[in-house]
Amino acid sequence: MEPTRQAILDSIASNISISVDSHLVFVNRAFVALHGLDAATQAIGARSDAFVLGSDKYLLKVLVVAQQQDETLELNQEFRIVRPDGSVRCVESTSTLTTYNGAPATLTSMTDITVRKAEQLELAREADDRALRVTELNALVKIATILSGPGSTRENSRQVLEVLIEFIGADRAVLRHPDGHGALLTYAAAGQTLMQAHPPAFSTEISDLGVSGQAFTLGRSIVENNHKPGGRTHRVISDRGMRASVGLPIFGGEKTIAVLQVGSKQSGFFTDPMVSLLDAIGKSLGVLLHNAHLRESLEHERSMHERKDDFIAIASHELRTPMTMMMGFTELLLDGEPDAELRKSWYEAIHSQTKRLTGIIDQMLDASNIQAGVIAVDSSPVSLDTIVDRIVDRYSAESPTHRFVIEPRQDLPQVMGDSDRLDQVLVNLIDNAVKFSPEGGNILVSLEHDRSEGTVVVAVTDEGIGMSPADQMRLFEPFERGDRAETDCIAGPGLGLYVARSLVELMGGYIRVRSEDSGGTTFSIGIPVAKSPAESERVYVD
Amino acid sequence: MSISVLVADDERLILSMVSAMLQRDGRFEIATASNGQEAIDACEASPPELLLLNGMMPGLDGFAVCQMLKSSPRTSGITIIMMSALTQKSFVEKGLAAGADHYLPKPFTRPTLIGAIDALLPQLSLLAK
């Protein structure tokens, strides 16, 4: 090439190259600079696509083929070139056919568009980001709709998990909550889960749960984008097939109240924006669960208040009844001068009502201790027949108005229980029988060994007016008003039967009631038989 | 002139106590009933001028008895004082709604009982005429 032409081509800013038969025969100074070369000689003789990025070479081939078909064609193409130091630049090239030293040649001019490209890429990424944010918003709006919906907390949670999976394209999501004993229970799940194979309350130790366990313990999100087969998480059956997992703690107030685990079968699935979307969803779930929790404790408190009101009404009634007589008879004694017989009976009445009041206070203390779970019963061999005989003897003397009928009984085994407490329970039953039987009525007391149940059963039957099934149902409840449809009034079993039931149940026994509408009520208690050494041995030999 | 009164309570000792209080006053002719059904039967057989009626009783309770007596023409003229250890406002309201002329909370003294009856005397003597 003549020097003047060379000088002109070197002086212009565009990259100019000429190739003959697909090999470079001329490059200008700008070309050398763009390609990061030291001198033009490094390019001359090389293939015309020598500096093009491997995966972009086909673009040039297409160009060449097109130009061979139509010689007037001027083609623009964008591709990437690689410099000797490995850096990549984007260029836009225009090729036209020319001649070089008489031979057909290709003149290519290139412009460096790296900066423009980067800006375009940035714009495209921003557009993607915007699209993702719209997706996020859609997901959050849909979740907000579910959260304010009428369903149960568990069902709403499950629907949230479904939306979550759909929006991010994951394969499964599980929400777990702690059971308070070092394990996490599955609360809700969506996607490919083993929920059908397992009961809903499938529980796993916190330490066995991989990302869930870590997220719960550490209180921050844990991402494991590449589960290795046979790795830690794969020991957990419910994670089978998942190659990437995220565990997110769910906060309710200040506490971690649950953990959300999302899984994908695709390694490297979870990106940062995705984790922040999950985080936002996790916060919504936290609000849902926390509100449900608050609502539950509020309802619990309200029902406790109602029970307390009932308790106060019953307690007040129970205390006022003996006090009425204590006050009334004292006043009669103080104000007048009754004859000796009347005076004696009034003193006796005051005495009996004082005892009754003491008993009621004891019962209230027992009931309160039972409610607080701090009552203890002894467990030693006891002869129920001895206790029954002692009480019946006492009552026969105190209540000559009633006749006690003791059914004949065979030899009875001892039971395992608390002798004082059994005395208390039986006194309560016999006291009720006396109270509810008409004067001159029979009170039937029977004892028998129920071999099939392994209990000794004491039954006390009165000849009272009987009880409706509804009354029988609420008899053993402490402060329940029960069904008030008929009389709209507290029925007055007091606390005695509640205490009695609690005590026999603490001894492993039961209390039952059977009543005929025509009249007569039978209360029975069954207490487990104590195993004598001889008996145990016999069972062993058998 | 004595006033006929029926005392209805499931507690035997309350019956003797109230009877003794009334006897000491001297103006009353006293009968007793030991449950709700007995009270109804006695009132229907021979309506007393005054019924002293306990609230909580097994079977037919005082509130039900009160309502039944007040809604039957034969017994609606009986003056009823409910005496009950159920002292909450809601029970007082319930007793009055059932038609009781007075609600007397337990425990009560003899002067309170007699005072309540005296307050209702114009009504009682009206019936006696």
Side-chain angles (χ1 to χ4, degrees):
Chain A
M1 180 179 286
E2 54 170 301
T4 315
R5 204 171 157 195
Q6 167 103 31
I8 293 168
L9 290 176
D10 273 343
S11 70
I12 58 174
S14 285
N15 301 267
I16 303 292
S17 65
I18 298 167
S19 52
V20 173
D21 205 11
S22 298
H23 284 79
L24 293 167
V25 292
F26 170 80
V27 298
N28 73 347
R29 199 169 285 163
F31 183 100
V32 172
L34 174 67
H35 285 71
L37 303 173
D38 295 326
T41 45
Q42 285 175 288
I44 305 299
R47 280 188 59 86
S48 51
D49 64 358
F51 302 100
V52 177
L53 187 73
S55 56
D56 285 359
K57 285 190 203 283
Y58 77 98
L59 295 169
L60 286 186
K61 281 204 184 91
V62 171
L63 202 73
V64 171
V65 170
Q67 262 173 348
Q68 279 165 356
Q69 283 168 0
D70 180 356
E71 294 190 352
T72 65
L73 205 62
E74 188 178 281
L75 281 178
N76 296 325
Q77 185 58 277
E78 284 177 13
F79 54 86
R80 286 163 296 177
I81 58 163
V82 189
R83 290 165 159 183
D85 67 2
S87 61
V88 173
R89 308 295 293 178
C90 289
V91 297
E92 186 180 53
S93 79
T94 308
S95 300
T96 49
L97 293 178
T98 181
T99 55
Y100 185 77
N101 294 341
T106 308
L107 174 76
T108 304
S109 116
M110 281 189 278
T111 314
D112 185 348
I113 56 162
T114 308
V115 173
R116 200 177 83 208
K117 267 284 158 193
E119 282 167 1
Q120 278 173 1
L121 272 173
E122 179 64 26
L123 285 174
R125 222 181 49 212
E126 274 174 20
D128 281 355
D129 274 358
R130 270 198 299 278
L132 185 67
R133 249 174 271 145
V134 168
T135 307
E136 248 175 60
L137 268 175
N138 278 335
L140 292 174
V141 164
K142 203 160 173 184
I143 283 165
T145 315
I146 294 168
L147 293 185
S148 56
S152 72
T153 307
R154 195 185 284 267
E155 174 55 22
N156 286 351
S157 304
R158 198 190 57 74
Q159 284 185 24
V160 168
L161 298 187
E162 265 174 10
V163 170
L164 174 160
I165 291 185
E166 185 197 320
F167 272 91
I168 68 168
D171 291 302
R172 71 188 289 258
V174 184
L175 186 64
R176 299 183 172 100
H177 67 100
D179 69 350
H181 304 287
L184 288 171
L185 297 172
T186 299
Y187 183 74
Q192 296 173 11
T193 66
L194 295 180
M195 281 294 277
Q196 277 149 341
H198 289 283
F202 177 47
S203 155
T204 315
E205 293 296 308
I206 288 175
S207 57
D208 275 353
L209 274 174
V211 292
S212 273
Q214 290 174 53
F216 187 80
T217 313
L218 300 174
R220 61 178 168 82
S221 50
I222 304 290
V223 183
E224 246 189 71
N225 252 329
N226 195 13
H227 290 318
K228 290 168 195 72
R232 230 183 85 73
T233 316
H234 275 255
R235 283 217 311 273
V236 180
I237 190 165
S238 55
D239 275 344
R240 194 174 288 158
M242 296 300 142
R243 307 286 293 176
S245 301
V246 175
L248 289 142
I250 307 282
F251 299 103
E254 309 258 290
K255 270 170 37 191
T256 308
I257 52 169
V259 61
L260 170 66
Q261 181 169 350
V262 186
S264 168
K265 289 180 170 176
Q266 206 181 313
S267 282
F269 180 80
F270 293 101
T271 60
D272 285 350
M274 217 181 260
V275 175
S276 22
L277 171 62
L278 288 177
D279 219 34
I281 295 172
K283 284 199 178 77
S284 313
L285 279 171
V287 171
L288 171 70
L289 295 177
H290 190 54
N291 283 348
H293 179 71
L294 289 179
R295 207 163 46 234
E296 263 167 37
S297 44
L298 212 68
E299 269 160 25
H300 179 71
E301 204 167 298
R302 196 178 305 142
S303 93
M304 283 307 285
H305 266 298
E306 277 167 18
R307 281 158 163 258
K308 217 172 263 174
D309 286 348
D310 287 356
F311 172 73
I312 289 167
I314 291 171
S316 156
H317 180 272
E318 294 290 291
L319 294 171
R320 279 167 185 275
T321 303
M323 273 161 57
T324 303
M325 289 175 263
M326 287 158 70
M327 257 180 71
F329 284 118
T330 311
E331 195 185 39
L332 284 167
L333 284 163
L334 286 171
D335 283 358
E337 282 173 6
D339 63 50
E341 201 187 327
L342 213 49
R343 196 164 59 227
K344 183 169 179 282
S345 78
W346 290 351
Y347 276 126
E348 276 170 3
I350 293 168
H351 181 64
S352 75
Q353 294 308 306
T354 312
K355 262 170 56 183
R356 174 177 172 182
L357 191 62
T358 312
I360 289 163
I361 291 167
D362 285 343
Q363 266 177 9
M364 283 179 180
L365 287 175
D366 280 346
S368 159
N369 285 340
I370 288 164
Q371 292 263 303
V374 294
I375 202 160
V377 294
D378 195 19
S379 185
S380 48
V382 179
S383 298
L384 269 178
D385 38 356
T386 314
I387 297 178
V388 168
D389 289 344
R390 198 170 59 218
I391 299 170
V392 167
D393 283 351
R394 201 165 72 218
Y395 269 85
S396 302
E398 278 179 17
S399 313
T401 48
H402 292 83
R403 203 163 66 88
F404 286 89
V405 181
I406 310 293
E407 296 216 326
R409 57 199 184 224
Q410 300 142 344
D411 275 351
L412 294 166
Q414 286 191 310
V415 295
M416 214 51 191
D418 186 316
S419 145
D420 289 347
R421 294 301 194 178
L422 283 168
D423 187 277
Q424 180 185 347
V425 168
L426 288 164
V427 163
N428 191 290
L429 297 191
I430 288 172
D431 205 51
N432 277 344
V434 169
K435 203 151 68 184
F436 292 109
S437 281
E439 286 190 14
N442 290 327
I443 292 165
L444 198 69
V445 183
S446 73
L447 277 132
E448 64 175 22
H449 181 195
D450 186 330
R451 282 170 211 281
S452 62
E453 279 184 347
T455 53
V456 172
V457 180
V458 186
V460 181
T461 306
D462 64 39
E463 290 183 338
I465 53 170
M467 261 181 289
S468 71
D471 280 338
Q472 291 175 43
M473 289 274 289
R474 65 185 176 213
L475 217 46
F476 301 105
E477 295 304 321
F479 316 128
E480 296 286 347
R481 265 189 267 220
D483 175 19
R484 304 172 72 193
E486 264 180 60
T487 62
D488 195 26
C489 175
I490 292 180
L495 290 168
L497 287 172
Y498 166 67
V499 171
R501 186 197 68 179
S502 305
L503 290 175
V504 297
E505 283 177 359
L506 280 169
M507 292 179 227
Y510 63 80
I511 186 163
R512 287 176 192 151
V513 60
R514 207 186 61 239
S515 186
E516 312 294 334
D517 265 348
S518 53
T521 303
T522 301
F523 282 96
S524 49
I525 60 164
I527 305 295
V529 167
K531 279 205 175 72
S532 69
E535 217 176 352
S536 318
E537 203 178 345
R538 202 161 57 235
V539 170
Y540 181 74
V541 172
D542 281 349
Chain B
M1 184 199 79
S2 66
I3 301 163
S4 62
V5 51
L6 177 70
V7 188
D9 202 303
D10 58 314
E11 298 260 358
R12 192 176 52 83
L13 286 174
I14 295 263
L15 290 181
S16 17
M17 182 195 84
V18 175
S19 300
M21 286 176 172
L22 296 175
Q23 251 157 22
R24 192 165 287 180
D25 186 87
R27 287 180 289 167
F28 304 98
E29 190 185 301
I30 307 153
T32 60
S34 58
N35 61 52
Q37 193 55 54
E38 269 183 36
I40 296 264
D41 293 346
C43 288
E44 275 172 358
S46 158
E49 288 164 75
L50 176 64
L51 170 62
L52 297 178
L53 178 63
N54 182 27
M56 195 196 277
M57 290 187 285
L60 208 53
D61 70 26
F63 300 94
V65 170
C66 189
Q67 201 154 27
M68 286 165 81
L69 293 176
K70 286 291 182 182
S71 58
S72 155
R74 184 168 163 72
T75 52
S76 63
I78 301 172
T79 296
I80 299 177
I81 295 180
M82 280 195 71
M83 36 175 209
S84 177
L86 295 168
T87 54
Q88 277 78 5
K89 193 161 164 269
S90 59
F91 291 107
V92 177
E93 282 166 359
K94 209 174 97 177
L96 298 177
D101 297 275
H102 188 71
Y103 196 97
L104 187 64
K106 285 179 184 170
F108 49 79
T109 58
R110 199 172 61 89
T112 318
L113 173 66
I114 301 300
I117 296 172
D118 283 343
L120 293 167
L121 264 184
Q123 190 173 330
L124 287 166
S125 42
L126 207 69
L127 190 80
K129 282 171 197 167

